Amino acid sequence: MLHLAAPTDERWAARAREHLPEILLDHAHCEKKAASTALSLIFRYPERPAMVVPLSRLAREELAHFEEVVAVMRARGLEFRRQTPSPYAAKLMAAARTHEPMRLLDTLLCCSLIEARSCERMRLLAETLDDPGLVKLYRGLLACEARHFHSYVELARELELVSEAELTARLDALALHEAEVLRGDPGEPRLHSAVDPALH
């Protein structure tokens, strides 16, 4: 349903459970960045008025999620702060074509895959955490994350730049690239980090 080329190894969840403050901080940054991305697309493509309302609605939802995660952090004595950007999104977006309008098509599909991976990993957290508050948080976000995946795919479809078969093929190719990105250096514990080699 989420069109991911490879599932997350459950060992990622084991690492995440050991670093929940870092995961929560990264999650907050992810929601903030997702809102910023949706808004930047509105500014970057004013000649695409059909995207304005869906992206505006998506940005509002992402900001609401950002506030929700910050509230959960504060309830646990944590505070939102600056964080070194994760390389995940930049590495994924590096596969986007550089010429328009295919750049826009690929950007929308990459955004859909980010939402899909977020949904998959939040499901893992909801299934494996023993903190009722965090389980409630992540269960509550699953439907929205899945909907955002479909929203970005639908926006790409509505550009009417390629056939349905070509759209699916491009999404398949980007999904393979996304899976390859997650086979890289895990770095710090993040919502979109790779599996720690020490856990192999």
Side-chain angles (χ1 to χ4, degrees):
M1 183 182 74
L2 294 174
H3 216 98
L4 295 170
T8 290
D9 191 308
E10 290 185 1
R11 288 170 291 188
W12 172 86
R15 187 185 189 210
R17 287 195 301 271
E18 296 173 357
H19 298 276
L20 284 176
E22 293 92 336
I23 293 296
L24 286 169
L25 176 62
D26 185 57
H27 183 181
H29 276 280
C30 287
E31 300 290 1
K32 176 176 65 73
K33 178 62 176 175
S36 174
T37 297
L39 289 174
S40 72
L41 288 169
I42 294 174
F43 282 101
R44 192 188 308 166
Y45 297 100
E47 72 278 11
R48 300 282 183 179
M51 298 198 311
V52 170
V53 171
L55 288 171
S56 176
R57 184 180 299 120
L58 197 151
R60 288 198 306 274
E61 287 188 343
E62 301 288 16
L63 283 176
H65 296 167
F66 168 71
E67 294 172 10
E68 189 175 354
V69 177
V70 169
V72 167
M73 290 173 63
R74 287 177 173 168
R76 287 158 175 74
L78 306 171
E79 190 55 83
F80 182 76
R81 55 180 172 80
R82 188 182 300 275
Q83 182 191 53
T84 304
S86 167
Y88 167 79
K91 288 182 178 180
L92 175 56
M93 291 290 186
R97 288 166 286 191
T98 57
H99 59 282
E100 298 290 4
M102 293 309 178
R103 178 188 180 194
L104 172 57
L105 179 77
D106 286 355
T107 298
L108 293 171
L109 293 179
C110 284
C111 286
S112 78
L113 291 168
I114 293 171
E115 297 289 344
R117 185 63 69 184
S118 295
C119 182
E120 185 225 22
R121 293 202 163 178
M122 289 179 196
R123 178 186 57 78
L124 276 176
L125 291 172
E127 291 174 350
T128 60
L129 293 177
D130 54 12
D131 182 315
L134 293 181
V135 169
K136 180 181 178 181
L137 169 71
Y138 286 115
R139 281 182 179 167
L141 292 175
L142 291 180
C144 271
E145 298 296 326
R147 187 173 70 252
H148 292 171
F149 160 74
H150 290 291
S151 294
Y152 274 116
V153 173
E154 187 58 27
L155 285 171
R157 180 177 290 116
E158 289 173 357
L159 295 175
E160 297 183 339
L161 296 173
V162 296
S163 69
E164 187 64 25
E166 290 170 320
L167 182 72
T168 300
R170 186 57 182 161
L171 185 55
D172 286 342
L174 290 170
L176 287 170
H177 172 67
E178 190 271 347
E180 187 61 33
V181 167
L182 287 181
R183 281 191 281 270
D185 180 7
E188 300 174 16
R190 299 292 178 90
L191 196 60
H192 297 101
S193 59
V195 174
D196 190 336
L199 297 174
H200 284 257

